[in-house]
Amino acid sequence: MHPTGAQTSSPQSPALESGELKAVFSKVSWRLIPLLLIAYMIAYLDRINIGYAQLQMKQTLPFDDAVYGLGAGIFFIGYFLFEVPSNLLLERIGARKTLLRIMVLWGLTASAMMFVSTPLQFYVLRFLLGVFEAGFFPGVILYFTYWYPSVRRGQVIAIFMSATTIISVLAGPLCGATLKYFDGVGGLYGWQWLFLVQGLPAVILGFLVYFLLEDKPANASWLSKDEKKLLEDSLAHKVKGVEREPAGTFGGLLRDPKVYALSLVYLLLLGATYTMVFWLPTLIQSWGIKDLLLVGIYAAIPNAVGVIGMILIGRHSDKWRERRWHFAACVVIAAIGLFATTLLQGNLVGSLLALSFAVIGIASATPLFFALISEYLSVGAAAGGLALISSLGNLGPAISPTINGLIVRSTGDNTYSMYFVIALYLLSGLLLLLTIRPTATAGVPAPVAAH
């Protein structure tokens, strides 16, 4: 008996069960995922490295905390405004041209941060960085729908999104070493080198994406005719675990209330996650760890566990063709782990274990969410829908950390802020279960494991 008790599945193409198809998807994954994974790592690094750079910029520029805070927030405004237009353009002109434009412009803008000398310049460049980077994430998720049927998409998205967790482990040492050892080289400050050496790789990767990837399987010269036929057959026999939205166009999508409910789910999820990202070093310090290097090392342990967990859970979700309860289970895991950390204050090993358990759920929930909405959205509405939900959800990080700060200020106790984050996670899971209904095939194991 499978989890939902469903007894039948939709007819499958014989190709889906063949070892040949498994080999084709392996070939596709090795071509697409490593390059896009590295690109997403650089994108995330260019977004968050300002937090490290400002430690040294304060010593050389007349900026205060208010300037940095406003500059950090302006990024999300540009991101919010241009995510939907970028994805609609991708659908018209193709992924290669769109990703080339996005990555070259964001790389040049990130590098140009080295020339900042006034608050206005800082605000303009942070806004433009958000504008240029806006379409990358939803663009790649849309791109995956061209290459992978829904039954294989959960693990693929999980692997791609592991980039943020991996780079979170590496960002501290990379940024710290650049600030320390490049300071004064060539007459430049360390923070100037930081922006330069972490921005230019995006430009190079943009050209590699353009020349090495193809817009769709039909254009791939590295696939044989038989391999293309297997892919086409697999994509034509999609099996979804959730009901599909009724609208076939972006205009119709805008009138679908479930799209806004899903946007709220993502807002709650992302708001909780970013609050945890911002608060994690403080949490670890509260365990009695004062050495900043040790804080970074201890923070890396839960993230490493999270990478493994998100890939395994994504694979399990693909196998059972089920997203809703997997997502709900992940936010419950996050909530239980975070609550346990509040009970284990002063116990370093116990707190670290509880936090690692929580990060499994935290890291796994987002790729499951995007696998689900990629199934829910119709083909005609996928480009705009993915971007709309993502852009609205990205307002969460602009709201929740502020609320969290007010809670800490008014109570003087970090425990209550943890309860706030737990509530956000649980509300996101409950709202998703109420919004999206399963199909009759949800919970039916796929004929082959999704690789």
Side-chain angles (χ1 to χ4, degrees):
M1 178 71 72
H2 34 71
T4 63
Q7 298 295 326
T8 60
S9 63
S10 296
Q12 296 295 302
S13 164
L16 185 61
E17 301 184 24
S18 72
E20 294 177 67
L21 184 61
K22 182 178 177 181
V24 172
F25 276 114
S26 178
K27 186 175 182 179
V28 168
S29 295
W30 278 108
R31 185 80 178 200
L32 270 57
I33 294 178
L35 185 56
L36 294 172
L37 178 73
I38 295 171
Y40 194 27
M41 290 173 64
I42 297 298
Y44 194 72
L45 183 62
D46 286 339
R47 181 188 303 187
I48 66 172
N49 62 9
I50 185 62
Y52 295 95
Q54 58 96 12
L55 297 175
Q56 199 175 69
M57 292 172 75
K58 287 180 179 178
Q59 304 170 11
T60 60
L61 296 175
F63 292 0
D64 59 17
D65 289 337
V67 171
Y68 287 108
L70 181 57
I74 283 177
F75 170 90
F76 288 99
I77 296 175
Y79 201 93
F80 168 73
L81 292 175
F82 286 87
E83 200 162 8
V84 173
S86 178
N87 236 35
L88 293 177
L89 183 63
L90 183 151
E91 194 173 37
R92 292 183 58 187
I93 69 174
R96 292 166 62 246
K97 292 179 180 178
T98 301
L99 293 178
L100 173 66
R101 182 258 304 167
I102 288 172
M103 298 176 70
V104 169
L105 291 179
W106 114 45
L108 293 176
T109 303
S111 298
M113 289 285 293
M114 68 181 293
F115 300 114
V116 163
S117 61
T118 69
L120 180 59
Q121 293 172 350
F122 180 56
Y123 298 150
V124 169
L125 286 177
R126 285 292 294 179
F127 175 79
L128 289 177
L129 187 62
V131 169
F132 295 143
E133 190 190 318
F136 178 78
F137 176 76
V140 173
I141 300 300
L142 177 64
Y143 185 58
F144 285 152
T145 68
Y146 300 156
W147 293 85
Y148 297 95
S150 57
V151 73
R152 296 176 180 268
R153 215 173 288 153
Q155 184 182 343
V156 170
I157 295 176
I159 293 172
F160 170 68
M161 294 195 67
S162 69
T164 60
T165 310
I166 294 170
I167 202 62
S168 294
V169 176
L170 303 176
L174 284 174
C175 293
T178 304
L179 292 174
K180 180 177 180 179
Y181 297 112
F182 280 68
D183 193 33
V185 174
L188 298 175
Y189 294 109
W191 64 265
Q192 292 177 298
W193 280 109
L194 178 68
F195 289 127
L196 179 63
V197 301
Q198 294 183 3
L200 288 181
V203 178
I204 299 170
L205 286 166
F207 283 101
L208 289 177
V209 166
Y210 182 78
F211 288 112
L212 296 180
L213 301 187
E214 298 293 346
D215 286 327
K216 293 186 177 180
N219 308 119
S221 59
W222 42 272
L223 289 175
S224 68
K225 289 184 178 180
D226 289 340
E227 290 171 332
K228 292 177 183 179
K229 181 67 173 65
L230 287 174
L231 279 180
E232 291 171 3
D233 187 60
S234 177
L235 290 167
H237 292 80
K238 298 178 182 178
V239 178
K240 294 179 178 291
V242 300
E243 63 178 9
R244 169 173 278 186
E245 55 90 21
T249 65
F250 182 60
L253 183 82
L254 294 175
R255 297 187 293 272
D256 182 0
K258 290 187 178 181
V259 169
Y260 300 100
L262 288 169
S263 299
L264 180 56
V265 170
Y266 191 45
L267 184 147
L268 295 170
L269 176 67
L270 210 58
T273 299
Y274 266 84
T275 300
M276 279 304 302
V277 169
F278 295 149
W279 187 54
L280 184 59
T282 303
L283 175 64
I284 294 176
Q285 278 189 327
S286 72
W287 300 343
I289 309 301
K290 302 305 179 185
D291 187 308
L292 295 180
L293 177 60
L294 286 177
V295 170
I297 292 173
Y298 286 135
I301 294 172
N303 284 321
V305 174
V307 170
I308 298 170
M310 69 192 299
I311 293 173
L312 293 178
I313 291 175
R315 178 181 297 177
H316 190 269
S317 175
D318 281 351
K319 177 181 178 181
W320 288 98
R321 298 180 184 140
E322 203 288 320
R323 312 296 184 194
R324 297 167 66 255
W325 288 106
H326 278 79
F327 179 89
C330 285
V331 295
V332 169
I333 288 172
I336 292 173
L338 295 178
F339 181 70
T341 63
T342 67
L343 303 177
L344 295 168
Q345 293 293 326
N347 183 332
L348 175 60
V349 175
S351 296
L352 200 57
L353 289 173
L355 186 60
S356 297
F357 182 74
V359 173
I360 292 174
I362 293 171
S364 303
T366 304
L368 285 171
F369 175 78
F370 277 97
L372 182 147
I373 64 172
S374 73
E375 294 182 15
Y376 175 71
L377 297 171
S378 63
V379 174
L386 283 166
L388 177 64
I389 292 170
S390 177
S391 63
L392 291 174
N394 267 281
L395 295 176
I399 300 171
S400 61
T402 302
I403 297 174
N404 186 69
L406 293 174
I407 293 173
V408 174
R409 181 189 300 175
S410 61
T411 64
D413 190 345
N414 285 330
T415 301
Y416 292 99
S417 65
M418 184 71 86
Y419 294 156
F420 169 66
V421 172
I422 290 171
L424 292 179
Y425 278 125
L426 293 178
L427 282 173
S428 70
L430 179 61
L431 182 57
L432 184 133
L433 290 176
L434 294 174
T435 301
I436 299 298
R437 309 313 307 167
T439 64
T441 57
V444 179
V448 290
H451 292 283

